Amino acid sequence: MVTIGDVARVAGVSRSTASYALSGKRAISPEVRHRVAAAVERLGYTPNAGARALATSQTKVLGLLARVLEDEFAPAMMQYILGVTDGARDLGYDTLLVSEEDGVRALRRLADSRMVDGFVLLNVAEHDDRLPVLRDARQPGALVGLPADTAGVDVFDHDFAAVGRVMVDHLHALGHRELILVSQPEHVVARGGAYVWRLADAARQQAEERGITLHARFAASGQPEIGRELDAILDAHPGATGLLLNNEAAAAALPGVLTERGLRSPRDLSVIGRYSDDFARTFSLPYSAIDSAAGELGRLAVAQLVARIEHRLAEEAPHVVRLIPPVFTDRGSTAAPRPVS
Amino acid sequence: MVTIGDVARVAGVSRSTASYALSGKRAISPEVRHRVAAAVERLGYTPNAGARALATSQTKVLGLLARVLEDEFAPAMMQYILGVTDGARDLGYDTLLVSEEDGVRALRRLADSRMVDGFVLLNVAEHDDRLPVLRDARQPGALVGLPADTAGVDVFDHDFAAVGRVMVDHLHALGHRELILVSQPEHVVARGGAYVWRLADAARQQAEERGITLHARFAASGQPEIGRELDAILDAHPGATGLLLNNEAAAAALPGVLTERGLRSPRDLSVIGRYSDDFARTFSLPYSAIDSAAGELGRLAVAQLVARIEHRLAEEAPHVVRLIPPVFTDRGSTAAPRPVS
DNA sequence: CTGAAAGCGCTTACAG
DNA sequence: CTGAAAGCGCTTACAG
């Protein structure tokens, strides 16, 4: 293995000079700098990451803690992860991805062994058991997902409350007076998916303020249950003219359900979903939908985290809670309700 | 930070003894072993990963090189990644995930800086530019995806040729004599997705052997193009009674297309797809399909890689090329073709 | 502008 | 069964 000692010897300088020439941390004569650069080039030198980490207490690695809840659709996490890994690389960091069941253990292991300079937590729950450990760690952390207690961490998430309000307002403005909201399965919520509540509560409150009816329901995250459940939900609320879907599986199942019932959207039913353009395009989800870019959230979290790691933030800079606003993509699945016959 | 020196002092032994007590690499008196364990417990000691890596030349980290081709559906990669990260953890390794555009650079960086003990490459192309670099690296590598030249690496992939044969045979046995195969977009293939060819070639050959007709077509990876293209393809081959889909977007778009045309599966058209149960469930893909578990592939690759890293394989143990067989999931979308009227 | 030396926190021959 | 010491490959005060 070629070390900085080899570089120094070939360049005819001391190891410290070689090191400084590479880091640029002190003035070096142009002549020496070139000799060192040539030696590096000739020998194909790359610093040993472990040695550097030991000497500097910096690993240039970020820990990314993913978390797959039961019944959650894991692939949906990919966009967040790519946002983090790409964002990290742009800032000079690599990313250690951890998916193990026991996030607390993983966090402790990476923190205590000094494998990473900071953490990004994905899929953060309302009362996430990883948070106390993160606050104890010497490395800073940024979250994707809004917990109840945001002390000591930087937080980034979609503004789910705004999503709920936008959904309701959009249909209300078109003249709808009775809506159904289909959320993700209740036990996903129970496991910590507070975002489901944030959206539902805001929708309910907005409906109340507008003086319209909102039926809020949970539903399965896949076939065959979701098809039957949608049918039952539509049966139960024959007066509803608008359907809000916070559940990708429901959006995918709905076209078939409507066809079976002889219904068409938006003629018989206005529909607004919540899913990414990417999913809509690949899986033919045909409804107008609200989303905000997942990758952007990952990048934001990383940028803030790296700023803290590198102390480009004042030591006491307040932690941020940043909720990014929803974006509405119109696919023509909403219209004024049909006049009551 | 608490170091092994602290542990040694508290336990009243030398640092080497403390180290040996922890590693178990030499006999230690029970008494001393307990004192060391107690000290570790009391101080909350965890070895510094960088220091250990420097001393042992082992990082206990695997490099995972993902690669997202243009127009590929990134989330589909998630299952492979989770197979790798979970598999690695079970064997005592962490995973550094790299998604950067320039895989060659990334590979070189991780290899030369000694950040990882081995590599897993995802989405390996027929002539993958990362392979020469991997062969030059001192760390071993395992691939998910079958390249043209498999020298010096362990290879794991789906048996796409078998998938093609199974698809054709299944419909041939039911009495079909004219089939259509819809593959992924041609430029995905051009970028290295040789698996598309492997499936298509095998299907074509099998059709020939069976004496039946197979029309092979490429199609878009999403809406709105895919819907129109499916329509055009069906228009072009009115005599076809069976449809083979190596394209998730096509499977998602087909129900709507068939409904529009007043057709039903399997009555008017037998359909076999290729996608995971997970996708089928979440996105209401209704067709019988062939797949093999992506996560398993990731785990297999990691297991073999770790065996090499830890020299549990004879130094000259031949590299493996392992193709895992397809599994058919029947969703009732195939039947005998209707008698010609 | 440059060099000799100490130190980061481990592991592991070497010696007893 | 245990300890003193060297060494892994860097960086960075200290000295000139």
Side-chain angles (χ1 to χ4, degrees):
Chain A
M1 134 153 254
V2 29
T3 73
I4 197 163
D6 300 322
V7 171
R9 186 166 355 93
V10 169
V13 298
S14 72
R15 298 194 307 152
S16 62
T17 297
S19 176
Y20 282 119
L22 289 175
S23 68
K25 285 193 182 171
R26 78 178 181 192
I28 298 284
S29 69
E31 139 98 60
V32 164
R33 198 176 332 120
H34 288 135
R35 287 214 312 269
V36 170
V40 165
E41 180 69 26
R42 183 149 87 75
L43 299 174
Y45 169 73
T46 307
N48 179 300
R52 176 174 277 179
L54 184 57
T56 63
S57 301
Q58 274 199 73
T59 63
K60 288 288 183 175
V61 174
L62 266 28
L64 174 55
L65 300 203
R67 210 173 61 121
V68 182
L69 297 177
E70 190 194 324
D71 247 11
E72 256 185 344
F73 183 61
M77 225 158 37
M78 195 69 220
Q79 315 279 18
Y80 295 91
I81 292 177
L82 290 177
V84 170
T85 55
D86 288 340
R89 187 87 292 279
D90 288 348
L91 297 171
Y93 286 76
D94 279 300
T95 305
L96 204 65
L97 172 63
V98 172
S99 61
E100 65 188 280
E101 189 82 24
D102 189 346
V104 168
R105 236 175 97 99
L107 185 46
R108 209 168 260 145
R109 176 165 48 83
L110 298 190
D112 290 349
S113 67
R114 299 284 210 288
M115 291 183 79
V116 302
D117 295 338
F119 292 97
V120 175
L121 270 56
L122 250 39
N123 214 348
V124 174
E126 175 106 33
H127 300 285
D128 201 300
D129 55 356
R130 300 171 296 181
L131 284 185
V133 184
L134 179 57
R135 291 197 184 94
D136 266 3
R138 62 211 92 229
Q139 298 95 335
L143 316 183
V144 176
L146 175 63
D149 179 2
T150 63
V153 290
D154 292 302
V155 176
F156 300 84
D157 203 356
H158 303 283
D159 189 344
F160 286 100
V163 175
R165 286 192 296 269
V166 167
M167 283 176 155
V168 168
D169 274 353
H170 184 94
L171 292 188
H172 172 262
L174 286 169
H176 294 263
R177 295 298 174 257
E178 185 177 349
L179 309 177
I180 303 171
L181 167 64
V182 175
S183 296
Q184 282 164 308
E186 187 163 18
H187 74 272
V188 165
V189 186
R191 293 252 179 165
Y195 58 94
V196 177
W197 279 122
R198 301 218 310 277
L199 190 155
D201 285 350
R204 196 173 350 234
Q205 191 176 333
Q206 195 75 353
E208 208 167 302
E209 243 161 62
R210 302 290 185 228
I212 67 181
T213 304
L214 178 80
H215 309 288
R217 295 288 176 268
F218 297 106
S221 58
Q223 290 288 10
E225 302 84 357
I226 183 64
R228 289 197 300 269
E229 292 182 18
L230 282 176
D231 246 330
I233 289 170
L234 291 175
D235 283 342
H237 304 292
T241 57
L243 188 53
L244 311 177
L245 304 175
N246 184 21
N247 180 325
E248 290 118 343
L254 189 61
V257 170
L258 292 186
T259 301
E260 281 295 318
R261 299 174 75 97
L263 298 179
R264 276 172 35 195
S265 172
R267 194 194 57 186
D268 308 300
L269 193 67
S270 285
V271 182
I272 306 181
R274 195 193 73 75
Y275 43 76
S276 70
D277 287 359
D278 220 33
F279 276 39
R281 198 179 119 71
T282 302
F283 291 109
S284 290
L285 307 182
Y287 307 112
S288 298
I290 288 177
D291 203 36
S292 23
E296 190 197 339
L297 228 33
R299 282 186 171 272
L300 286 173
V302 164
Q304 176 76 3
L305 178 61
V306 168
R308 280 213 190 272
I309 288 171
E310 301 181 349
H311 300 102
R312 283 189 279 98
L313 260 37
E315 198 62 46
E316 296 310 321
H319 290 269
V320 306
V321 174
R322 182 141 165 225
L323 303 180
I324 67 175
V327 175
F328 186 86
T329 303
D330 196 338
R331 295 193 181 85
S333 62
T334 65
R338 289 165 86 185
V340 182
S341 52
Chain B
M1 132 153 257
V2 29
T3 73
I4 198 162
D6 300 322
V7 170
R9 189 167 352 95
V10 168
V13 298
S14 72
R15 299 194 308 153
S16 61
T17 298
S19 176
Y20 283 118
L22 290 175
S23 69
K25 286 194 183 172
R26 79 177 181 194
I28 299 283
S29 71
E31 139 100 62
V32 165
R33 199 175 332 120
H34 288 134
R35 287 214 312 269
V36 170
V40 165
E41 181 68 24
R42 182 149 88 74
L43 299 173
Y45 169 73
T46 306
N48 179 300
R52 175 173 277 180
L54 184 56
T56 63
S57 301
Q58 274 201 74
T59 62
K60 289 286 182 176
V61 174
L62 265 30
L64 173 55
L65 300 204
R67 210 174 61 121
V68 183
L69 297 177
E70 188 193 326
D71 246 11
E72 256 185 343
F73 183 60
M77 227 158 35
M78 195 68 220
Q79 314 279 18
Y80 295 91
I81 291 177
L82 290 177
V84 171
T85 55
D86 289 339
R89 188 86 292 278
D90 289 347
L91 297 171
Y93 286 75
D94 279 301
T95 304
L96 205 66
L97 172 63
V98 171
S99 60
E100 63 187 283
E101 188 83 25
D102 188 346
V104 168
R105 236 175 99 101
L107 186 46
R108 208 168 260 146
R109 176 164 48 82
L110 298 190
D112 290 349
S113 66
R114 297 285 210 287
M115 293 183 78
V116 302
D117 295 337
F119 293 97
V120 176
L121 270 57
L122 249 40
N123 213 348
V124 173
E126 175 106 34
H127 299 285
D128 201 299
D129 55 356
R130 298 170 297 180
L131 285 186
V133 184
L134 178 57
R135 292 198 184 92
D136 266 2
R138 62 210 94 229
Q139 297 96 335
L143 315 183
V144 176
L146 174 63
D149 179 3
T150 64
V153 290
D154 291 302
V155 176
F156 300 84
D157 203 357
H158 304 283
D159 188 344
F160 286 100
V163 175
R165 286 191 297 268
V166 167
M167 283 176 153
V168 168
D169 274 352
H170 184 94
L171 292 187
H172 172 261
L174 286 169
H176 294 263
R177 296 299 175 257
E178 183 177 351
L179 309 177
I180 303 171
L181 166 63
V182 175
S183 296
Q184 282 165 306
E186 186 161 19
H187 74 272
V188 165
V189 186
R191 293 251 181 165
Y195 59 95
V196 176
W197 278 121
R198 300 217 310 277
L199 191 156
D201 285 350
R204 195 173 351 232
Q205 191 176 333
Q206 195 75 353
E208 208 167 300
E209 245 162 62
R210 301 292 184 225
I212 66 181
T213 305
L214 178 81
H215 309 287
R217 294 287 175 269
F218 298 106
S221 58
Q223 292 285 10
E225 301 84 357
I226 184 64
R228 287 199 300 267
E229 291 182 16
L230 282 176
D231 245 330
I233 289 170
L234 291 175
D235 283 343
H237 306 291
T241 57
L243 188 54
L244 311 177
L245 305 175
N246 184 22
N247 180 326
E248 290 117 343
L254 188 61
V257 169
L258 293 185
T259 301
E260 281 294 318
R261 299 172 76 96
L263 299 179
R264 276 174 33 198
S265 172
R267 194 194 58 186
D268 307 299
L269 193 68
S270 285
V271 182
I272 306 181
R274 196 194 73 76
Y275 43 77
S276 71
D277 286 0
D278 219 34
F279 275 40
R281 200 179 118 71
T282 301
F283 290 108
S284 289
L285 308 182
Y287 307 112
S288 297
I290 289 178
D291 203 34
S292 23
E296 191 197 338
L297 228 35
R299 282 185 172 272
L300 286 172
V302 164
Q304 176 76 5
L305 178 62
V306 168
R308 279 211 190 274
I309 288 172
E310 301 181 349
H311 300 102
R312 285 189 278 99
L313 260 36
E315 198 60 47
E316 295 311 322
H319 290 270
V320 307
V321 174
R322 182 142 164 225
L323 303 181
I324 66 176
V327 175
F328 185 87
T329 303
D330 196 337
R331 295 194 180 84
S333 63
T334 65
R338 289 166 86 184
V340 182
S341 51

